[in-house]
Amino acid sequence: MTATRPEPATGPVLDAHLAVDRGTFRLDVRLRIGAGEVVALLGPNGAGKTTALRALAGLQPLTAGHVTLAGRDLDRSDGRLRTPTERRPIGVVFQDYLLFPHLTALDNVAFGPRRHGVDRRTAHRTAAEWLHRVGLAEQARRKPRQLSGGQAQRVALARALALDPVLLLLDEPLAALDAGTRLDTRAELHRHLAAHPGATLLVTHDPLDALVLADRLVIIEHGRVVQEGDAASITAQPRTDYVARLVGLNLYRGTADGHSVRMGSGFALTAADRVHGDAFVAFPPSAVALHPHRPDGSPRNTWPATITGLQRHGDNLRVQLAGPIGVAADITPAAAAHLHLTTGQQVWVAVKAAETRAYPADTRPTT
Amino acid sequence: MVRIDERNAAVEPRPARPPRRRHTQRVPVALLLPAVAGLAFLVLPLAGLVVRAPWATLWQRLTEPGALTALRLSLQTATVATLVCLALGVPLAWLLARVEFPGRRVVRALVTVPLVLPPVVGGVALLLVFGRKGLLGTWLDAAVGVTLPFTTTGVVVAEAFVAMPFLVIAVEGALRGADTRFEEAAATLGAGRWTTFTHVTLPLIAPGIAAGGVLCWARALGEFGATITFAGNYPGITQTMPLAVYQTMEGGDLSGAVVLSLILLIVSVTILAALRDKWITSG
């Protein structure tokens, strides 16, 4: 496990094209990750995230494509090369950790070094160092069933990192933890991932995990990459309903002509940006105001709508509205009390053009 | 374990468990009567052995050389047969549980045949293969100079043949119940298939192997039909306890047969109980 890492200038550590056919489901994803970079693979359930992770680890054969790690081909469908899982310099933290129940925390972490020919004493010393690093020196002699969820997660991380992997894979690393533990463990995990010199791919369906832990997000739906970029660009300009919901924006697609974007139904929104052709329009629920009557004055985007749902959202009230376009609005409790909001009520929706962003839809996500 | 309980309680206060209610529902007579009858049916014959045992002369009969020889041979052959079954049966169970190959269902059915085959028929079949003029026996005799029938090794062969399916079925069940993702985790840490088997799979299914081994040993200890057919009934060489009981009975010595039976019963129950405490429950 002493594969030499290339200098960052020589290109990405991981260069993969994962194509997997499984009956009706087809995964087709290209991934490139640099040294020290943390990439989150984010997507709804069934999008193919775990399949992609298993394909990288060699636990799921590729139908086509390739996996190249640190300049070395691990999988090549054309040349029929397939490196078995145990010979890949890849560490995996599984969703429910899969710590070996018959081994102590120390022996779990020492398992990898031992399999790579390290003698028992050295392996135990390495393992003890790693347990110390994740703050579990005291728990070294415990069996997995005597560890809390957060502790087990850290042992699993130490076990994967003890081999100094060129690529670290994490499958929903925080999903099995309760809310309180998750906060601490997420911060802890962030520290260790930042210190990891190799490439890291984090699979998650939790946007918060992705935004906190990753340098770059790759969002997949139905086995395809739908959007890719850093947190700021994705939260500012979502390209699918799923991403818009993740980042909490109202998102529409239409044909732009200057500041006006016209939907298929003929309904038009006015945006702050000038765009032409196929375009997205997005605005946050907080930019939506509700009025009992048609408002006078500045807002350009106003239309009548019917309330279809009300629910708490943080300190505010999230109001779902049906009309020419479906929209979500965040209303303060005071405003809600003033309007006497109820489901089925008719109201007027107003969205400030200044808070409405428009951007072209036809640029392909950069790969 | 206390620690874990405390942690769970801290996260999510567990509601006080309602007091366990006992005997609130009467056991239906339609179930109780056959259950008691079944228990009596299983226990009464054993009680009969104890009641009819010639207690006055028991010690003298116990120390008769024939009885002890047969007992030692029984324990030795059953143990060796179990070791043989473990060495061959665990890999066979792994193959059946973990490797997809054409005809796997047929192989699995074949493995269980000795379970339904009358042991005497098994003994005849063993003679046809391993007998002096048998399919493999001829070659064994000529090439290696090994003769199995009517030897102590033959006893082990007969017992292993009859007992191995018990082990294979128990271990295969344990393998199927074990989470294969632990084996995937081992692979990501650099363990090949063999190391994964010895370092991860075997420890995970150890309780299943122990249970299968105990079943296998118990079956081998009680083996009669295949042994007497294939290995014969020579005191000191192939006469195990069940054979000795049968011969003593045939010779008209009922109380002798009772003593031998009692010894076999006490020894096997003691060993099984000890193993159960040590392996089965702790696993």
Side-chain angles (χ1 to χ4, degrees), chain B residues 169-242:
Chain B
I169 287 173
V171 175
E172 197 201 337
L175 277 167
R176 289 178 170 278
D179 194 340
T180 55
R181 293 177 315 145
F182 284 110
E183 294 167 12
E184 294 184 347
T188 68
L189 294 165
R193 240 178 159 174
W194 169 249
T195 330
T196 301
F197 176 73
T198 55
H199 285 68
V200 176
T201 315
L202 274 187
L204 281 178
I205 62 161
I209 293 179
V214 166
L215 264 180
C216 176
W217 185 82
R219 180 65 189 87
L221 194 69
E223 217 308 295
F224 177 81
T227 310
I228 202 164
T229 315
F230 182 61
N233 187 9
Y234 303 109
I237 301 170
T238 70
Q239 192 185 70
T240 56
M241 282 300 266

Side-chain angles (χ1 to χ4, degrees), chain A:
Chain A
M1 196 59 61
T2 49
T4 51
R5 287 205 189 83
E7 293 299 310
T10 61
V13 168
L14 172 73
D15 175 34
H17 174 207
L18 309 171
V20 178
D21 270 316
R22 284 213 321 216
T24 56
F25 177 78
R26 181 173 165 81
L27 176 79
D28 193 339
V29 168
R30 288 174 189 275
L31 285 171
R32 292 173 142 220
I33 309 180
E37 193 184 18
V38 180
V39 170
L41 193 61
L42 186 64
N45 288 333
K49 303 185 297 285
T50 299
T51 305
L53 180 138
R54 292 176 58 83
L56 286 171
L59 297 168
Q60 163 77 52
L62 290 181
T63 313
H66 68 273
V67 174
T68 307
L69 193 59
R72 183 181 140 210
D73 280 350
L74 298 181
D75 276 325
R76 227 174 25 228
S77 58
D78 53 341
R80 297 187 166 265
L81 170 77
R82 182 162 145 68
T83 308
T85 301
E86 61 267 25
R87 284 203 234 115
R88 296 176 183 231
I90 296 178
V92 186
V93 177
F94 291 91
Q95 182 168 358
D96 36 10
Y97 319 133
L98 299 178
L99 297 178
F100 304 126
H102 59 287
L103 298 180
T104 62
L106 187 76
D107 284 327
N108 263 284
V109 180
F111 187 92
R114 287 286 288 143
R115 303 288 84 73
H116 286 82
V118 176
D119 67 89
R120 185 185 295 269
R121 280 183 51 158
T122 316
H124 274 175
R125 202 167 56 233
T126 310
E129 276 165 20
W130 270 105
L131 285 176
H132 179 74
R133 221 180 290 187
V134 299
L136 290 175
E138 310 274 300
Q139 283 79 15
R141 298 279 159 209
R142 295 228 177 115
K143 292 279 181 71
R145 65 170 177 274
Q146 297 168 306
L147 298 171
S148 72
Q151 289 171 341
Q153 197 267 0
R154 280 139 76 193
V155 174
L157 183 67
R159 185 173 73 170
L161 287 175
L163 286 172
D164 193 17
V166 178
L167 174 65
L168 176 67
L169 303 173
L170 302 117
D171 190 4
E172 304 276 3
L174 303 166
L177 301 176
D178 58 71
T181 320
R182 191 182 292 195
L183 202 63
D184 292 341
T185 313
R186 188 188 288 127
E188 170 105 354
L189 184 60
H190 185 220
R191 199 163 59 76
H192 292 297
L193 293 188
H196 176 52
T200 303
L201 182 74
L202 166 80
V203 161
T204 180
H205 71 274
D206 184 339
L208 192 55
D209 289 348
L211 292 172
V212 170
L213 297 170
D215 305 315
R216 189 157 56 85
L217 277 65
V218 175
I219 295 165
I220 64 171
E221 285 177 60
H222 310 295
R224 305 295 168 107
V225 174
V226 294
Q227 195 166 358
E228 194 169 347
D230 60 16
S233 73
I234 282 176
T235 50
Q237 303 196 342
R239 305 190 79 83
T240 72
D241 280 341
Y242 167 74
V243 184
R245 268 204 311 282
L246 278 185
V247 301
L249 289 179
N250 291 299
L251 179 74
Y252 311 95
R253 189 169 184 166
T255 310
D257 179 19
H259 289 293
S260 176
V261 182
R262 191 162 297 277
M263 319 291 156
S265 56
F267 182 81
L269 280 171
T270 305
D273 313 271
R274 279 186 81 88
V275 192
H276 288 277
D278 197 9
F280 286 112
V281 191
F283 54 87
S286 59
V288 182
L290 301 185
H291 302 273
H293 309 290
R294 180 170 194 139
D296 314 317
S298 60
R300 303 275 289 282
N301 299 320
T302 61
W303 65 91
T306 310
I307 297 177
T308 56
L310 293 162
Q311 68 199 76
R312 268 190 75 95
H313 189 259
D315 289 339
N316 292 325
L317 202 62
R318 169 70 54 95
V319 186
Q320 300 292 341
L321 299 128
I325 54 171
V327 66
D330 279 356
I331 306 296
T332 61
H338 176 70
L339 289 167
H340 301 291
L341 296 180
T342 55
T343 307
Q345 190 181 346
Q346 297 281 329
V347 291
W348 279 82
V349 173
V351 183
K352 287 199 183 91
E355 294 190 53
T356 307
R357 313 289 310 186
Y359 44 95
D362 51 3
T363 53
R364 300 307 312 155
T366 49
T367 47

